[in-house]
Amino acid sequence: MGRLLEVTDLQVCFNTPEGVVHAVNGISYYLDEGETLAIVGESGCGKSVSVMSILGLIPTPPGEILSGQAHFHEQDLLQLSERELERIRGAEIAMIFQDPMTSLNPVLTIGLQITESLMLHLHMDAEQADQHAAELLELTGFSQAAKRLGDYPHQFSGGMRQRAMIAMALGCSPSLLIADEPTTALDVTIQAQIVELALKLRDQLGMAIIWITHDLGVVARMADRVLVMYAGFIMEEASVFDLYKDPRHPYSLMLLSSLPRVDQRRSGKLRPIPGSPPSMLTESKGCPFAPRCSYVIETCRVTNPPLQEVAPGRRVACWVDVGKGE
């Protein structure tokens, strides 16, 4: 299994009237072919910006990529022109966004929105594109798919709109699918259906997935590896099994401790993380999690720890190892 994507020292900021927002602060990670990588963390921690920036999807200005590389199939995405990126977006890398109602064009039929990329990237004629679009809708769970091509987004439920977005993303058989909190706006039953659909399609098509979420239950179900982000930094990287069995960063530990568990329903209240995330307008000299951390030592307040390997495939940015280390 070869390396599909490798991001190195990515720094992204936004210049606003209030000051410079330090959205992503020098993160590095990789993704192998066919692998599912989850990026988790609280809202505003830089999860979405970290992937949208490498595809040229952040507004510039106010957004600005200060440094970094993003090698995909041995080409640096950050060095490509807009036209070169357009050939990759939708064809080799596809993206599903959080709210399908705002991502889909309300005045165009679902069929037109799916066939557009098929004709652009695969050079199909209208008849071929319509046939393939119907097949894609069937693949994602639509009945009488050919008849639904002429319907508009408002004629679909939230779950069906998200399925249509997935069908659109899969049109050109991408090697990488990026899903940006695709189940947030859906009820729990539909969420589970979308996750199962993504897993089925991943196995059928052999594509890699980056799944951005704050839902750790979804992560446990579908991810191979997890990046835990906080305030624009990666706090911990681990396999999904290792993260849930033995979290090594205080933030990871507290995230997992705040989840409701069936086996602990009689043992008392949930343990929320105290305090609030830091302002991204100021650069933290120490660890950004230090003000909320119960394991904090003086070094944490003055020096931000580097992300270091503590075991094979395991990286942690912390001066205090809170894990069992088994």
Side-chain angles (χ1 to χ4, degrees):
M1 187 165 58
R3 187 64 41 91
L4 181 65
L5 175 69
E6 187 152 17
V7 176
T8 307
D9 191 31
L10 179 64
Q11 296 186 58
V12 184
C13 71
F14 290 88
N15 299 293
T16 71
E18 290 77 25
V20 178
V21 176
H22 304 276
V24 178
N25 299 302
I27 68 170
S28 300
Y29 64 92
Y30 69 90
L31 177 71
D32 287 333
E33 294 174 352
E35 183 182 31
T36 299
L37 175 69
I39 303 179
V40 303
E42 295 171 86
S43 297
C45 72
K47 304 187 300 293
S48 299
V49 173
S50 67
V51 294
M52 293 181 71
S53 58
I54 66 176
L55 293 177
L57 295 176
I58 61 169
T60 308
E64 182 181 356
I65 298 174
L66 299 176
S67 70
Q69 296 176 318
H71 286 98
F72 175 76
H73 287 320
E74 301 182 352
Q75 57 186 336
D76 187 355
L77 298 175
L78 300 182
Q79 298 300 318
L80 300 182
S81 66
E82 177 61 24
R83 177 165 290 186
E84 289 170 323
L85 279 173
E86 285 176 356
R87 295 194 189 104
I88 292 175
R89 291 193 300 250
E92 298 180 61
I93 302 176
M95 191 157 185
I96 307 169
F97 295 96
Q98 184 172 4
D99 185 359
M101 198 59 203
T102 56
S103 303
L104 294 167
N105 191 321
V107 299
L108 296 180
T109 64
I110 291 294
L112 277 174
Q113 296 184 64
I114 296 175
T115 56
E116 180 182 21
S117 64
L118 302 178
M119 291 188 282
L120 174 65
H121 295 296
L122 302 182
H123 309 294
M124 293 182 175
D125 60 33
E127 184 177 346
Q128 291 171 326
D130 282 344
Q131 182 178 347
H132 190 47
E135 292 170 356
L136 290 167
L137 288 181
E138 286 180 5
L139 185 67
T140 53
F142 279 79
S143 59
Q144 298 182 316
K147 294 182 179 179
R148 302 306 305 268
L149 291 176
D151 290 345
Y152 291 86
H154 73 270
Q155 295 175 271
F156 294 82
S157 67
M160 298 311 280
R161 283 195 292 268
Q162 198 59 283
R163 287 172 184 267
M165 284 288 296
I166 294 173
M168 194 182 307
L170 297 177
C172 300
S173 301
S175 52
L176 171 57
L177 177 67
I178 299 174
D180 186 7
E181 304 208 41
T183 61
T184 299
L186 307 175
D187 65 56
V188 175
T189 304
I190 304 301
Q191 283 183 23
Q193 292 175 4
I194 295 298
V195 169
E196 291 302 318
L197 173 62
L199 289 171
K200 183 183 79 170
L201 295 172
R202 178 197 65 184
D203 295 339
Q204 283 182 1
L205 305 175
M207 62 186 176
I209 296 177
I210 295 178
W211 194 278
I212 301 167
T213 184
H214 58 264
D215 188 339
L216 289 168
V218 171
V219 171
R221 175 71 183 93
M222 71 181 308
D224 298 310
R225 281 189 306 116
V226 186
L227 299 180
V228 180
M229 286 192 68
Y230 184 81
F233 294 92
I234 295 175
M235 299 284 104
E236 183 167 359
E237 175 190 352
S239 71
V240 67
F241 177 82
D242 287 341
L243 182 75
Y244 281 74
K245 180 186 178 186
D246 180 24
R248 303 283 284 273
H249 193 283
Y251 181 55
S252 306
L253 179 64
M254 296 173 83
L255 273 180
L256 292 167
S257 298
S258 66
L259 287 176
R261 290 176 49 172
V262 174
D263 59 344
Q264 292 181 345
R265 59 183 177 178
R266 294 179 182 150
S267 62
K269 298 179 180 179
L270 297 176
R271 289 181 286 171
I273 302 175
S276 301
S279 169
M280 306 289 269
L281 289 167
T282 56
E283 289 189 82
S284 174
K285 292 183 179 179
C287 174
F289 189 62
R292 307 174 72 186
C293 182
S294 55
Y295 295 86
V296 65
I297 59 176
E298 190 55 35
T299 307
C300 303
R301 302 186 191 278
V302 294
T303 308
N304 194 4
L307 188 64
Q308 295 182 318
E309 188 171 42
V310 296
R314 193 84 189 263
R315 295 190 299 163
V316 179
C318 188
W319 297 118
V320 181
D321 190 345
V322 301
K324 298 186 288 292
E326 295 174 353

